[in-house]
Amino acid sequence: MSRSPEGSGPDDDVLGRLLRTPDDASRLRALLAAAAAETTAPAPGEAAALAAYRELVQEPAGIPSLTRRRQARLAVAAISSVVVLVGGGVAAAAGGALPDGAQQVAKTVLGAVGVHVPGPTSSSGSNDNGSEPTSDASPTRGGEATEPAAPVHHGQPTTTPEPKAHPSTPPTPGNSGPSRHHGNPAPHATPHPTPHHGKPTTPPVTSHRQATSAHARKLARLVMQARR
Amino acid sequence: MDVQSPPTWAATLTAAQGGDETAFTAIFRALNPAVVRYLTVLCGRTAAEDLAAETWVAALRGFASFTGDERSLRAWLITIARARWVDAVRAQTRRPELVTDTAPEVVGPDDVVGAVETAEATDAALELIRRLPDDQAEVITLRVVGQLEVAEVAELTGKTANHVRVLTHRGLRRLADLLGEKPPEGL
């Protein structure tokens, strides 16, 4: 018999003994037995509970379909996001709007899959070689690199002026594409002639830019290795 | 009752969770009386039936994933029932005009004693228990009707185990006094 520390509480088994002992015919025992007596009568609220239960049983067929629809919507949204991000990245690379390092990486990576993008120094915002003027010699208005101004001539030097290029075609290296510096001249954007052979040229840049390009090339190699 | 033996209970629960309406009905009929009686002691018969229905509706949300024996399910249902009752009390506090609608019926002491002597009137027994102070009535109902252990009652009511024992002791003594007899030995 384990009493409470206060000494005032009953034994934990008092109720059990009270209800189990057949000889104890006290009124209290009868009362407690009556309170806990089983019933065979239909319980009130049974119909409502069954109705709720039926709804629960019918729900599982609906829940997966809702889940599947939700998953399909999420998948479409995810794919759309990936397409937009990749497309935007390629477009930015094609427009030469990426930072130097990223531009070099994009050039290397996209060049491997046949997409030509300008190198990090190819968009100086001017076209001084005189061989490939564009209809709009100035950098993109407002500095936004959204629309390449030069036509596409992969590996073919042009000698005649051509109208503004198709917006979706990336400029060749050396063309006066949109500025990556938001209309401001680049610190090292020295104008230079471009051979237009579809190959990136090594522009006369400072040691800082060379270091950046080397870093970018190293990064590109790492990216290519990772892709393999 | 079929659902009391462990294997049968497990099979019944599994069947009910799988959509067997007969199995669910068996579980409902086995456990609902304890829920209704507990709520009856707390708030009266009429309100108890309504709250019991709400209890089952709330319980069904988690019924499919419930695991445990009959005792565990009963304790779980009573826990939900208590939460429903607390919500109802709070709602009535905010809407005092509804309090009189659920006022408990009072049965005369002579009628109660006579009914209890025949051990046939569960409602009369519950009415007598309701005459105890609220905390004593609740604890005794949980121990007797809900068949919960002291620790379970303590957890459910937020009291210490010793406090539950004290309330049980005092409640039983008072019930014995109401019935006109001395409490049993050990109390």
Side-chain angles (χ1 to χ4, degrees):
Chain A
M1 181 176 287
S2 60
R3 287 198 171 272
S4 63
E6 297 91 344
S8 57
D11 189 333
D12 284 350
D13 294 330
V14 166
L15 276 175
R17 285 192 292 107
L18 189 63
L19 294 172
R20 284 194 303 266
T21 306
D23 296 335
D24 189 354
S26 68
R27 289 178 172 179
L28 180 59
R29 175 178 172 274
L31 179 141
L32 298 178
E38 295 180 0
T39 179
T40 56
E46 184 173 314
L50 277 175
Y53 176 74
R54 290 189 189 105
E55 289 183 8
L56 174 74
V57 170
Q58 291 169 358
E59 267 185 17
I63 290 174
S65 62
L66 291 173
T67 303
R68 280 194 292 271
R69 284 201 295 271
R70 190 176 298 114
Q71 287 175 344
R73 284 197 295 269
L74 289 174
V76 169
I79 292 172
S80 301
S81 300
V82 169
V83 168
V84 168
L85 288 174
V86 171
V90 171
L98 297 176
D100 287 352
Q103 186 70 27
Q104 181 61 41
V105 172
K107 176 178 176 57
T108 306
V109 172
L110 295 177
V113 295
V115 178
H116 297 279
V117 298
T121 61
S122 61
S123 59
S124 61
S126 62
N127 184 11
D128 290 347
N129 58 5
S131 61
E132 196 174 39
T134 62
S135 59
D136 184 4
S138 63
T140 303
R141 183 169 37 198
E144 294 181 3
T146 56
E147 186 172 331
V152 179
H153 296 283
H154 298 293
Q156 294 179 359
T158 57
T159 55
T160 57
E162 294 184 11
K164 191 172 183 178
H166 192 279
S168 63
T169 55
T172 55
N175 289 345
S176 63
S179 171
R180 302 188 309 274
H181 302 286
H182 304 285
N184 295 325
H188 307 290
T190 304
H192 60 279
T194 306
H196 290 287
H197 293 305
K199 297 178 181 178
T201 59
T202 303
V205 294
T206 62
S207 58
H208 172 71
R209 181 169 295 276
Q210 287 173 342
T212 303
S213 299
H215 179 71
R217 283 192 294 274
K218 183 178 179 181
L219 190 60
R221 280 196 299 274
L222 292 174
V223 170
M224 293 299 292
Q225 290 173 359
R227 287 171 58 87
R228 294 192 191 103
Chain B
M1 199 170 296
D2 290 343
V3 295
Q4 285 181 344
S5 60
T8 305
W9 165 259
T12 305
L13 177 63
T14 302
Q17 290 173 330
D20 188 338
E21 192 171 310
T22 303
F24 174 77
T25 302
I27 291 175
F28 178 85
R29 290 181 177 175
L31 301 181
N32 187 61
V35 176
V36 173
R37 292 171 191 178
Y38 170 61
L39 290 169
T40 299
V41 170
L42 293 179
C43 58
R45 181 76 182 183
T46 304
E49 292 179 358
D50 293 340
L51 290 178
E54 293 181 16
T55 298
W56 280 97
V57 171
L60 282 173
R61 295 176 191 142
F63 181 73
S65 59
F66 177 84
T67 56
D69 56 9
E70 178 183 3
R71 174 188 172 78
S72 301
L73 183 54
R74 184 191 299 111
W76 182 53
L77 288 170
I78 288 176
T79 303
I80 296 173
R82 192 174 199 275
R84 298 284 94 187
W85 169 67
V86 170
D87 289 344
V89 169
R90 287 173 179 165
Q92 288 181 353
T93 302
R94 290 192 295 268
R95 294 172 294 171
E97 68 277 7
L98 297 179
V99 173
T100 55
D101 294 339
T102 57
E105 299 174 0
V106 178
V107 180
D110 293 336
D111 296 336
V112 171
V113 172
V116 168
E117 281 182 336
T118 60
E120 293 176 352
T122 300
D123 290 344
L126 296 177
E127 284 298 332
L128 190 61
I129 293 174
R130 288 195 69 199
R131 296 185 178 205
L132 301 175
D134 291 344
D135 49 359
Q136 296 176 15
E138 181 179 16
V139 166
I140 286 181
T141 306
L142 289 172
R143 295 279 283 122
V144 175
V145 177
Q147 301 177 27
L148 302 184
E149 299 293 340
V150 172
E152 293 172 320
V153 175
E155 182 179 359
L156 179 63
T157 58
K159 297 177 171 62
T160 65
N162 286 333
H163 194 190
V164 170
R165 293 189 187 97
V166 170
L167 292 173
T168 304
H169 171 70
R170 292 176 179 170
L172 290 175
R173 288 185 65 91
R174 188 151 184 166
L175 280 176
D177 291 341
L178 289 172
L179 292 168
E181 64 181 18
K182 293 181 180 180
E185 289 293 324
L187 290 182

